[in-house]
Amino acid sequence: MALALGAGSATAAAATNEATPSAASSYAAEAKAVGLSARQAAQLQDRVNARLADIKVPAEQVGYNEIRAKDGSARITLSVPGLAADTSCTYEYLCLWDGANWTGTKLSFTVCAFRNMSDYGFVDRLTSYKNNQTTGTISQFYNWEGTWVYKFGSRAYHTEDSLANTPWNNMIDGIQVC
């Protein structure tokens, strides 16, 4: 029952998050400006739309490859084939990547709260991260094993790590940000 409700919520969220025609043309222009062909831009837009449909929190597209939670607490930046990965992490953010060495899709959080990665389509996908929150801030990483099980913590300022060769690679399901 919960699965059916979640799928319906995601579908409803996708319907309300579709870009308006003027926004869509603006995103296409952004994609063209970074060197994507019309076909590549359309493929990227399909990935953005699929991600919007997968997200369980209210969100909207705000750039050709970027989605933001409507409350501003999180951003998802999709990787763009042929372009260098966005390895930056804004001050006061915890940034997560699904690729090794800060590559692939990036999920960034700025508000202190527990985050279930399934709400962002990021469950079991964490491979590298940067903790660029205020000095001394600790984020805690959990796996769902019938209950939330603590795996490790990260103390800011600017702690970064790749989990590619650790037991935690593609395992984390929840994070206590801050």
Side-chain angles (χ1 to χ4, degrees):
M1 181 76 147
L3 181 60
L5 290 173
S9 297
T11 303
T16 61
N17 290 324
E18 300 250 347
T20 62
S22 62
S25 61
S26 173
Y27 302 144
E30 286 178 33
K32 183 177 180 181
V34 298
L36 297 183
S37 68
R39 179 179 177 188
Q40 291 170 318
Q43 290 171 335
L44 179 59
Q45 187 60 52
D46 288 345
R47 288 179 47 222
V48 169
N49 291 343
R51 195 54 169 260
L52 279 166
D54 197 30
I55 297 171
K56 297 175 187 170
V57 297
E60 60 192 345
Q61 183 174 0
V62 294
Y64 77 101
N65 71 329
E66 189 168 346
I67 298 167
R68 182 179 56 216
K70 287 193 175 182
D71 67 2
S73 66
R75 293 185 302 195
I76 298 172
T77 307
L78 281 73
S79 60
V80 179
L83 297 181
D86 178 6
T87 62
S88 67
C89 186
T90 304
Y91 180 60
E92 295 188 344
Y93 277 78
L94 174 68
C95 302
L96 318 169
W97 285 265
D98 63 3
N101 302 314
W102 314 281
T103 61
T105 297
K106 177 172 76 170
L107 173 59
S108 308
F109 293 112
T110 186
V111 175
C112 295
F114 183 83
R115 303 296 178 169
N116 185 329
M117 296 295 95
S118 70
D119 291 346
Y120 302 90
F122 217 81
V123 69
D124 293 335
R125 292 182 59 187
L126 177 63
T127 298
S128 53
Y129 70 91
K130 291 183 181 181
N131 187 348
N132 201 16
Q133 299 174 93
T134 56
T135 301
T137 302
I138 299 173
S139 287
Q140 299 173 1
F141 296 73
Y142 296 85
N143 187 49
W144 179 255
E145 299 173 15
T147 186
W148 292 108
V149 177
Y150 175 83
K151 294 300 177 181
F152 66 94
S154 168
R155 180 181 300 273
Y157 169 73
H158 206 67
T159 301
E160 57 189 45
D161 202 357
S162 179
L163 303 174
N165 296 312
T166 73
W168 305 301
N169 187 42
N170 294 323
M171 172 192 279
I172 300 304
D173 299 320
I175 300 175
Q176 176 62 49
V177 179
C178 296

